[in-house]
Amino acid sequence: MKHLGPVHDFLGIKITKTKDTYFLSQRQYATAILQQMNLASCKPLANPTCTKFPPSYSSDSSLDPQLYRRSTGSLQYLTLTRPDIAYSVNQLSQHLHDPQPQHFFMLKRLLRYIQGTLAFGIPITKTNLHLKSFSDADWAGDPDTRRSTSGYCSFLGDTIISWTVTKQHTVARSSTESEYRALAALTTDIIWLRRLLSEFGIDQTEPTEIFCDNTSAIALANNPVFHARTKHIEIDQKYVREHLQQNNIRLLPISTVDQTADIFTKALSTPRFLTLRNKLTVSADPLACGEILSV
């Protein structure tokens, strides 16, 4: 083994060190993806998604399904330092088998957003070691299957350490059911994180706070009486309640406006997206010059 000095690059992730911060970014890797799609000189956008699609799409015969799959697969690795694009990449990944013109439109829009945020990444800051999480779900958000999308993230102090975007396996019959399934999935992730931190000697003496904007899901978790109408989510209900009773987690209400995990579950307007991106701590490399984005 050889001591190579302070770390500055690891598997395509650039690590920049300042006084009390490590900054992780993948600028070179993102640039390679743009070059692969011949979009290295495209105009940037401020939002990777759109809330309303155009009435028609280009019928360009050069749309290559293999290139779509290759680029989408590459973007999945880029999400290691870019949680702000996790929802967009998740949407693209659902159509690898048969990409249509609207999916190429979504891909190019995402790449134009990346073009304007090449220097962006996530900082690891010197802060407290208190674990907290945010959970959200978009009920029946998929217009084809009406399945919901779960999204959640966890912070250790001010540093984001875990995030997930996933489509639920079954159709939820209510918003409470979809939110509760997201809570159950997040609870599993939190228990693993607490055990991992414990192995590092960072014991979480207090329950991990989970912020949820669905008061019905919180009430269901705290209600010791099991109702027949919630029988279809009995396992999730008992699982979350068990960890509540063991003081591993604590559910707290939060306004939808302040729900950080909202960025993982749906397409947002540009002002809303930028606000939540800041809450995720995704920002430009402090040693790189700033860039101006077009809306």
Side-chain angles (χ1 to χ4, degrees), residues 7 14 39 41 55 59 65 81 85 113 119 124 155-156 162 182 187 198-199 205 217 229 234 242 266 270 276 279 288:
V7 62
K14 181 182 177 183
L39 293 172
S41 59
S59 58
T81 60
I85 66 171
Y113 168 75
I124 300 176
F155 290 79
L156 189 62
S162 174
T187 300
S198 179
E199 292 180 5
T205 57
R229 64 176 179 272
E234 179 179 1
E242 179 179 290
K266 60 181 74 70
T270 299
L276 294 183
K279 288 181 178 292

Side-chain angles (χ1 to χ4, degrees), residues 67-78:
L67 184 60
Y68 177 93
R69 298 183 187 105
R70 188 161 58 247
S71 299
T72 302
S74 299
L75 287 168
Q76 289 178 349
Y77 187 70
L78 185 60

Side-chain angles (χ1 to χ4, degrees), residues 39-104:
L39 293 172
S41 59
C42 64
K43 293 183 179 180
L45 289 176
N47 192 338
T49 59
C50 57
T51 55
K52 186 177 181 180
F53 288 95
S56 61
Y57 303 93
S58 170
S59 58
D60 189 353
S61 60
S62 65
L63 301 180
D64 184 2
Q66 291 186 354
L67 184 60
Y68 177 93
R69 298 183 187 105
R70 188 161 58 247
S71 299
T72 302
S74 299
L75 287 168
Q76 289 178 349
Y77 187 70
L78 185 60
T79 59
L80 286 178
T81 60
R82 297 295 302 273
D84 55 322
I85 66 171
Y87 173 76
S88 299
V89 175
N90 176 270
Q91 293 297 300
L92 294 173
S93 300
Q94 296 177 30
H95 306 284
L96 295 176
H97 62 290
D98 185 25
Q100 299 298 313
Q102 64 267 31
H103 306 135
F104 282 92

Side-chain angles (χ1 to χ4, degrees), residues 14 16 28 40 43 49 54 65-66 97 99 121 126 141 183 191 195 228 235 259 264 272 274 288:
K14 181 182 177 183
T16 305
Q28 187 175 358
K43 293 183 179 180
T49 59
Q66 291 186 354
H97 62 290
K126 187 176 182 180
L183 277 176
I191 299 305
R195 290 173 180 170
I235 295 176
Q259 176 57 273
F264 297 121
R272 173 71 172 157
L274 297 178

Side-chain angles (χ1 to χ4, degrees), residues 67-294:
L67 184 60
Y68 177 93
R69 298 183 187 105
R70 188 161 58 247
S71 299
T72 302
S74 299
L75 287 168
Q76 289 178 349
Y77 187 70
L78 185 60
T79 59
L80 286 178
T81 60
R82 297 295 302 273
D84 55 322
I85 66 171
Y87 173 76
S88 299
V89 175
N90 176 270
Q91 293 297 300
L92 294 173
S93 300
Q94 296 177 30
H95 306 284
L96 295 176
H97 62 290
D98 185 25
Q100 299 298 313
Q102 64 267 31
H103 306 135
F104 282 92
F105 171 81
M106 294 164 58
L107 173 60
K108 290 182 178 180
R109 184 177 179 91
L110 173 56
L111 292 173
R112 289 179 64 187
Y113 168 75
I114 293 173
Q115 168 71 359
T117 56
L118 285 173
F120 277 47
I122 53 175
I124 300 176
T125 57
K126 187 176 182 180
T127 180
N128 67 76
L129 299 178
H130 177 67
L131 185 65
K132 63 179 180 181
S133 302
F134 298 84
S135 171
D136 193 30
D138 180 33
W139 179 42
D142 189 313
D144 298 322
T145 63
R146 285 306 174 190
R147 292 185 182 180
S148 306
T149 300
S150 298
Y152 49 85
C153 58
S154 297
F155 290 79
L156 189 62
D158 297 330
T159 302
I160 185 169
I161 60 171
S162 174
W163 57 90
T164 297
V165 180
T166 182
K167 182 186 286 187
Q168 296 182 3
H169 297 297
T170 57
V171 178
R173 298 176 62 187
S174 67
S175 60
T176 300
E177 180 181 343
S178 64
E179 292 275 3
Y180 210 93
R181 284 176 176 160
L183 277 176
L186 175 57
T187 300
T188 302
D189 193 55
I190 287 175
I191 299 305
W192 179 81
L193 286 173
R194 288 172 64 92
R195 290 173 180 170
L196 179 64
L197 291 171
S198 179
E199 292 180 5
F200 288 141
I202 309 172
D203 293 323
Q204 299 291 308
T205 57
E206 297 293 328
T208 299
E209 297 174 342
I210 299 179
F211 294 93
C212 176
D213 60 5
N214 189 289
T215 55
S216 297
I218 296 175
L220 180 61
N222 287 289
N223 188 355
V225 179
F226 185 75
H227 296 284
R229 64 176 179 272
T230 59
K231 187 176 181 179
H232 52 292
I233 54 172
E234 179 179 1
I235 295 176
D236 287 341
Q237 196 265 356
K238 291 187 178 299
Y239 178 76
V240 173
R241 177 153 182 81
E242 179 179 290
H243 287 290
L244 276 170
Q245 293 174 334
Q246 294 176 356
N247 286 326
N248 289 325
I249 62 173
R250 180 169 59 199
L251 297 181
L252 298 174
I254 190 174
S255 169
T256 302
V257 175
D258 299 321
Q259 176 57 273
T260 304
D262 203 31
I263 197 173
F264 297 121
T265 61
K266 60 181 74 70
L268 303 169
S269 64
T270 299
R272 173 71 172 157
F273 173 79
L274 297 178
T275 298
L276 294 183
R277 186 181 71 182
N278 290 335
K279 288 181 178 292
L280 287 179
T281 71
V282 175
S283 57
D285 188 337
L287 300 183
C289 59
E291 300 181 43
I292 299 177
L293 298 180
S294 63

